[in-house]
Amino acid sequence: MKSLQFSFVIPVFNRPDEIKELLESFCLLSFENPFEIIIVEDGSTNSSKEICSSFEDQLNIVYLEKSNSGPGDSRNYGMARATGNYFIILDSDCILPTQYLQKVHTSLKEDYVDCFGGPDGAHESFSEIQKAINFVMTSFITTGGVRGNKKHIVNFEPRSFNMGISKEAFEATKGFGIIHPGEDPDLSIRLKKLGFKTRLISEAFVYHKRRVDFGKFWKQVNKFGLVRPILNKWHPESSKLIFWFPTLFVLGFIASVSLAIFGIHSPLVLYGIYTLMVFFVALIRTKSMKISCYSMVAMYLQFFGYGLGFFKSSIALNLMGKNPEEEFPQLFFNHG
């Protein structure tokens, strides 16, 4: 196999402070081979240019500016101008552990794939709410651990907060589409259709801040729910019954509350038991009462936000025959 030449591609929109933290973590990487970092300023009004310039003596940074067209198109813009043969895509709100790139390099040398994804974790500096959100997004008890640290998963659908793709695979697929969020599973599915292999590299984790408060977290997961039926319509073979679970959770909760009003409490008790399970699993993992309490809130926000979004989108697309771009214009960027 030819030698791997890595190019990191990071879109940024009005987040210079995040870029500073990310670049600081790049400086601490324990990897001897050269690599480049491409920062794509996606029409920001609060530029990261000065921050990037301050690291030019320490890192090989290419700073690019363009009009706003969304993170997917910005990643494509960066990959099209990268000099490496393997691109690693990160969100600007990530921090890299020192061993990150060495783990990626070792794994690809041992078992090469044209696309990989890595998990994420909560850094010790994160707030209690950020740690709670990270728990519910990665725990087996809330998401099945799909985005957590499960080993040896083949046919994994990488997420673009921590994702690698070869130059060959990028050129074959033309990169990310116009939907956001949802551009990363859409790309993963198209990669599989073309015969490219994907895999989770469980050791290649990043510290991912995600949303910093519950309001922003709700908006994020609600959009995730709106997007999934669109992806199912584009790629019917990717549709799974498990995608309905959050919606069924919400409908079951509403039914349980209604039954409790009429004196039938057992269904609502089951929800209470599950909520306590989330609390105790979070307590074991985080050893924090406060984070565990926040985790119960985050769990309900996750299920209700995603479940209601999924239900709304499913009704609009499958029963009413609506056009996704016309019905949910907030989910699409017009690439200029």
Side-chain angles (χ1 to χ4, degrees):
M1 190 187 81
K2 62 183 178 181
S3 62
L4 292 168
Q5 298 172 328
F6 293 109
S7 292
F8 286 87
V9 178
I10 306 156
V12 60
F13 181 70
N14 291 332
R15 294 184 180 184
D17 291 341
E18 288 182 353
I19 282 295
K20 184 175 186 293
E21 287 185 296
L22 176 53
L23 293 178
E24 286 172 346
S25 71
F26 269 111
C27 294
L28 301 176
L29 287 180
S30 57
F31 189 71
E32 296 181 356
N33 298 339
F35 58 88
E36 75 174 344
I37 303 169
I38 298 178
I39 306 295
V40 183
E41 195 83 70
D42 184 27
S44 301
T45 55
N46 189 7
S47 172
S48 302
K49 188 172 185 178
E50 289 188 15
I51 296 292
C52 293
S53 297
S54 68
F55 285 88
E56 286 181 348
D57 293 338
Q58 300 167 269
L59 300 167
N60 178 20
I61 298 178
V62 178
Y63 177 81
L64 304 173
E65 291 180 284
K66 53 180 282 298
S67 59
N68 180 250
S69 60
D73 190 49
S74 295
R75 297 180 192 116
N76 294 343
Y77 187 88
M79 287 188 284
R81 289 156 179 79
T83 60
N85 57 22
Y86 209 103
F87 312 137
I88 299 179
I89 299 158
L90 301 172
D91 279 357
S92 61
D93 61 348
C94 290
I95 298 173
L96 300 180
T98 56
Q99 77 282 4
Y100 175 83
L101 192 49
Q102 186 59 56
K103 294 292 186 183
V104 171
H105 184 263
T106 299
S107 180
L108 292 177
K109 282 291 187 180
E110 292 175 352
D111 184 13
Y112 182 82
V113 288
D114 282 284
C115 182
F116 77 85
D120 60 342
H123 193 267
E124 60 183 11
S125 66
F126 289 5
S127 70
E128 283 90 353
I129 289 179
Q130 286 175 318
K131 290 177 180 177
I133 290 173
N134 180 78
F135 170 77
V136 301
M137 292 290 280
T138 61
S139 174
F140 180 82
I141 197 172
T142 52
T143 63
V146 171
R147 297 180 70 154
N149 196 359
K150 293 174 71 177
K151 294 185 177 180
H152 308 304
I153 296 183
V154 295
N155 295 322
F156 178 72
E157 289 187 2
R159 296 294 184 263
S160 53
F161 67 85
N162 180 13
M163 175 182 185
I165 180 172
S166 70
K167 182 177 182 179
E168 179 185 357
F170 166 66
E171 291 177 343
T173 57
K174 308 303 181 187
F176 295 94
I178 63 173
I179 195 168
H180 176 72
E183 71 273 21
D184 33 12
D186 171 58
L187 174 57
S188 297
I189 295 167
R190 289 188 285 114
L191 282 165
K192 291 177 189 176
K193 287 181 178 179
L194 292 174
F196 291 103
K197 292 182 179 180
T198 65
R199 188 176 82 248
L200 172 69
I201 302 180
S202 58
E203 301 84 2
F205 68 92
V206 300
Y207 299 116
H208 190 201
K209 289 185 177 180
R210 303 188 185 280
R211 297 308 181 191
V212 296
D213 59 54
F214 284 141
K216 291 179 180 177
F217 180 57
W218 167 273
K219 291 179 182 179
Q220 182 184 54
V221 293
N222 185 248
K223 283 186 175 182
F224 288 162
L226 291 171
V227 158
R228 180 51 70 173
I230 299 173
L231 297 179
N232 291 346
K233 200 169 187 67
W234 289 352
H235 311 288
E237 72 283 357
S238 71
S239 180
K240 300 174 185 176
L241 285 175
I242 196 173
F243 294 148
W244 279 95
F245 177 75
T247 299
L248 295 176
F249 180 95
V250 172
L251 296 177
F253 183 84
I254 294 171
S256 298
V257 171
S258 301
L259 289 171
I261 294 173
F262 294 99
I264 303 173
H265 297 99
S266 54
L268 195 58
V269 169
L270 293 176
Y271 275 87
I273 292 172
Y274 176 71
T275 304
L276 288 175
M277 288 174 61
V278 170
F279 172 83
F280 284 113
V281 172
L283 186 61
I284 292 170
R285 178 165 156 181
T286 67
K287 298 178 175 59
S288 167
M289 288 285 291
K290 193 171 184 180
I291 295 172
S292 301
C293 290
Y294 282 149
S295 294
M296 293 187 289
V297 176
M299 178 270 290
Y300 276 97
L301 288 174
Q302 181 186 44
F303 281 141
F304 270 75
Y306 186 101
L308 292 174
F310 185 92
F311 187 67
K312 178 181 179 180
S313 184
S314 295
I315 295 297
L317 271 57
N318 300 321
L319 289 184
M320 302 178 67
K322 299 288 187 178
N323 178 284
E325 293 189 46
E326 294 177 358
E327 186 69 11
F328 305 109
Q330 73 274 22
L331 302 178
F332 295 89
F333 279 91
N334 293 317
H335 294 178

